Amino acid sequence: MTSAGRVIDPWPLLRNDASDRERQGLHLVVHGRSGGVVPDCLASLPDLLAQRRSAPVQLEVLTAEQPVSALPQSSWVVPLLLLPGAHARTDVPAIRNRLRGSGASVRLLPFLGSWITWWNAVLSALPSSDRRDAVLVHHPLRPGVADRFLAMLASRLALPLVPFDAWPEFQQRHPRARPLPLTLAPNRMTDALSEAGGLPPLLEHPPTRQALIDLLVSLP
């Protein structure tokens, strides 16, 4: 990642706190589709990241029936989740506790959607032509923490924000609007929005996918 020709370390505090010289493993937590199915844009990450980091990387899929075992070395638990819903607030800490209970040395990172460097990368990766009529479309969420987070995100990205169940009415009033699904991978929402000329999920947009890969590779 560069700025004015300088390489910027996105993890200075983590690097200062790292006690091991070797790269830690990555325990990536993803949502997945029904039955634990993982789209290729997520399923391909472990091998790619393991090669570039020279450290083990694995996926834990929240919709899968069986949890995965802990990595054989210290690792980061990385929630690849965009919103502070129940998965981020409850399921992910439970995964960390389960891994620690099995004797693993793990440290939990905040969920992806809270990373400022990630959203900066998303903005940089979206050409102005795609942003002109873009509208962020998200899964309907319960009021509370998620609502406040979404309001902050819409302000930061300077884009309108609409829940998926309100999209048809919004599109009728704004026929030029182009939905930008607030999701990493294909799901039922992106399948439906594609018929309205929606932009692809973030990890099916090559520059955005590469930005995430670079962030994960640069972890200590």
Side-chain angles (χ1 to χ4, degrees):
M1 303 178 72
T2 61
S3 176
R6 293 188 299 114
V7 175
I8 298 175
D9 182 359
W11 308 109
L13 297 180
L14 293 183
R15 209 170 305 284
N16 290 341
D17 189 44
S19 58
D20 298 324
R21 292 186 179 181
E22 294 184 357
R23 291 286 185 91
Q24 297 192 61
L26 298 183
H27 188 100
L28 307 177
V29 180
V30 302
H31 188 277
R33 302 191 74 159
S34 178
V37 174
V38 182
D40 182 65
C41 61
L42 288 172
S44 59
L45 287 179
D47 287 345
L48 187 155
L49 292 169
Q51 182 177 15
R52 289 190 56 183
R53 288 178 58 84
S54 298
V57 181
Q58 65 184 8
L59 286 182
E60 174 141 357
V61 185
L62 292 170
T63 55
E65 293 184 3
Q66 297 295 328
V68 298
S69 301
L71 289 170
Q73 68 182 70
S74 60
S75 60
W76 299 106
V77 177
V78 187
L80 296 184
L81 304 170
L82 295 182
L83 302 176
H87 289 309
R89 300 198 309 270
T90 303
D91 296 338
V92 169
I95 289 172
R96 175 202 56 197
N97 294 342
R98 187 195 81 230
L99 295 173
R100 286 180 176 172
S102 69
S105 174
V106 298
R107 289 193 290 177
L108 174 61
L109 288 178
F111 69 100
L112 175 62
S114 66
W115 300 3
I116 294 175
T117 48
W118 160 249
W119 291 117
N120 288 342
V122 170
L123 284 174
S124 297
L126 283 177
S128 57
S129 58
D130 282 344
R131 294 188 60 196
R132 187 174 301 117
D133 299 312
V135 177
L136 293 171
V137 182
H138 63 90
H139 286 286
L141 299 168
R142 295 177 181 176
V145 174
D147 275 352
R148 295 192 292 272
F149 175 83
L150 284 169
M152 177 277 296
L153 183 61
S155 175
R156 180 174 184 79
L157 299 182
L159 292 173
L161 184 75
V162 178
F164 178 51
D165 55 2
W167 167 253
E169 180 182 351
F170 183 91
Q171 187 182 35
Q172 286 184 351
R173 291 186 282 110
H174 304 276
R176 294 182 58 184
R178 191 178 184 193
L180 171 57
L182 199 56
T183 182
L184 292 176
N187 55 31
R188 285 179 294 177
M189 181 177 76
T190 63
D191 293 345
L193 291 176
S194 66
E195 300 178 4
L199 293 162
L202 293 172
L203 291 190
E204 289 197 340
H205 183 237
T208 311
R209 173 182 169 82
Q210 189 59 50
L212 177 61
I213 290 170
D214 290 343
L215 281 171
L216 296 175
V217 168
S218 67
L219 278 165

